[in-house]
Amino acid sequence: MFFTRFAMSLALFGALGFGPAMAYCNISDAKLEEAILKKPEFRDPANRHLVRDLRTLRDAAFLLWSYGLADDCERLIGNIRQLIAAPAMGQLGSTDEDEADQQIAAGEPQNHSGGQTRGNRGAANEQPLIDINELGPGLLVDEIVGAEVRSSDDKIVGEVRNVVIGTKDRWDYAIIASGGFFIAGKDSIVVPLRYLQVNQQRNSFFLRISSAQVKTVPLMPDQNYLWLKDEDWRATNDAIFRSLVPDPIR
């Protein structure tokens, strides 16, 4: 999805005559999708994360090429070929948990003093918010994840870090990093999607509860999503939203 949309943007950019000639780096030579289709290792659920990571690396190679860094693109394609040839390499690497935590933290967004803390609801000619279930067309995942979330009184709550769909009781969720926009996200709340609205520009989501009510919502109990199997915790969390908004939108 990202690859296709970015390719379209680059095509338009080139058509307008603004971009330099691109150096050669044939990303298709890696034959990643062919390997995913044909190699049994990549169809093993235990290697699902490796398939996702390989596709991310391919997108990164495309970005390097698009910025004219063909040599770096080729080097990354070489790494992709190595991992395709020996999927077991995906299990290698450092086992130092402290080092891993440090590396992961480096990729987390941090507090950002320039974030938009003041809302813009109440501006002249503003348009009404849209219920999630009334959108047409629907939202893409990359329109949701990373988007800011505000309370009903237009105060920053956080940003969407993940989405959970397909629960048997039809309570789909947005995982919202609480405490502000551009934050690390270790403290998150679990918000049923039915309690979200989005503005007309689709760049800001709104809860149906106030900033004061947000403080009554418990934090997500673990980062490994074990709470999905904890029906008691989910029921308690869902009941809090149901009590705050007596008539939820389904």
Side-chain angles (χ1 to χ4, degrees):
M1 180 186 302
F2 166 81
F3 188 90
T4 302
R5 294 177 65 189
F6 197 80
M8 291 175 64
S9 299
L10 283 174
L12 177 60
F13 189 73
L16 293 175
F18 297 129
M22 296 294 184
Y24 186 75
C25 173
N26 195 342
I27 296 170
S28 64
D29 281 351
K31 299 188 181 301
L32 174 58
E33 295 304 324
E34 291 89 337
I36 293 172
L37 181 66
K38 296 177 182 178
K39 274 184 172 281
E41 297 98 319
F42 289 122
R43 296 195 296 274
D44 186 338
N47 283 330
R48 187 174 298 164
H49 72 284
L50 178 58
V51 172
R52 182 189 64 239
D53 291 345
L54 283 168
R55 284 173 168 154
T56 299
L57 288 173
R58 180 188 59 196
D59 291 345
F62 181 77
L63 283 173
L64 288 169
W65 170 80
S66 71
Y67 285 109
L69 301 174
D71 291 342
D72 295 309
C73 172
E74 280 289 357
R75 280 191 285 272
L76 186 49
I77 291 299
N79 296 142
I80 294 173
R81 291 194 192 99
Q82 281 184 290
L83 288 167
I84 290 174
M89 288 178 62
Q91 307 300 325
L92 302 179
S94 174
T95 57
D96 187 320
E97 292 187 4
D98 291 337
E99 181 181 358
D101 289 342
Q102 183 179 9
Q103 297 285 17
I104 291 171
E108 290 280 6
Q110 301 298 310
N111 288 327
H112 194 296
S113 60
Q116 182 184 354
T117 57
R118 296 182 61 184
N120 54 18
R121 300 303 297 169
N125 301 319
E126 73 173 2
Q127 295 179 303
L129 300 175
I130 307 172
D131 295 335
I132 290 293
N133 65 328
E134 293 182 358
L135 281 172
L139 288 162
L140 301 176
V141 170
D142 59 3
E143 290 181 284
I144 303 175
V145 176
E148 70 169 19
V149 180
R150 310 186 77 89
S151 60
S152 60
D153 50 344
D154 207 8
K155 301 294 178 59
I156 279 287
V157 175
E159 61 177 288
V160 180
R161 302 310 304 274
N162 211 339
V163 177
V164 177
I165 62 173
T167 56
K168 65 181 180 180
D169 53 10
R170 301 181 63 82
W171 279 72
D172 303 325
Y173 300 100
I175 310 305
I176 299 173
S178 61
F181 197 41
F182 291 131
I183 61 171
K186 292 182 179 178
D187 291 335
S188 301
I189 58 174
V190 179
V191 178
L193 280 176
R194 68 187 69 174
Y195 292 101
L196 285 179
Q197 295 177 301
V198 64
N199 62 359
Q200 298 282 341
Q201 294 75 29
R202 297 182 176 219
N203 58 15
S204 187
F205 290 83
F206 290 80
L207 298 177
R208 296 175 178 274
I209 59 178
S210 69
S211 55
Q213 291 173 318
V214 170
K215 296 176 181 178
T216 68
V217 178
L219 294 178
M220 187 170 72
D222 70 276
Q223 296 291 314
N224 296 317
Y225 293 83
L226 299 178
W227 57 267
L228 279 169
K229 298 180 181 179
D230 188 340
E231 295 187 5
D232 290 338
W233 186 89
R234 285 179 54 204
T236 299
N237 186 74
D238 298 344
I240 290 173
F241 283 93
R242 189 183 289 115
S243 67
L244 297 174
V245 185
D247 299 310
I249 304 299
R250 292 183 178 270

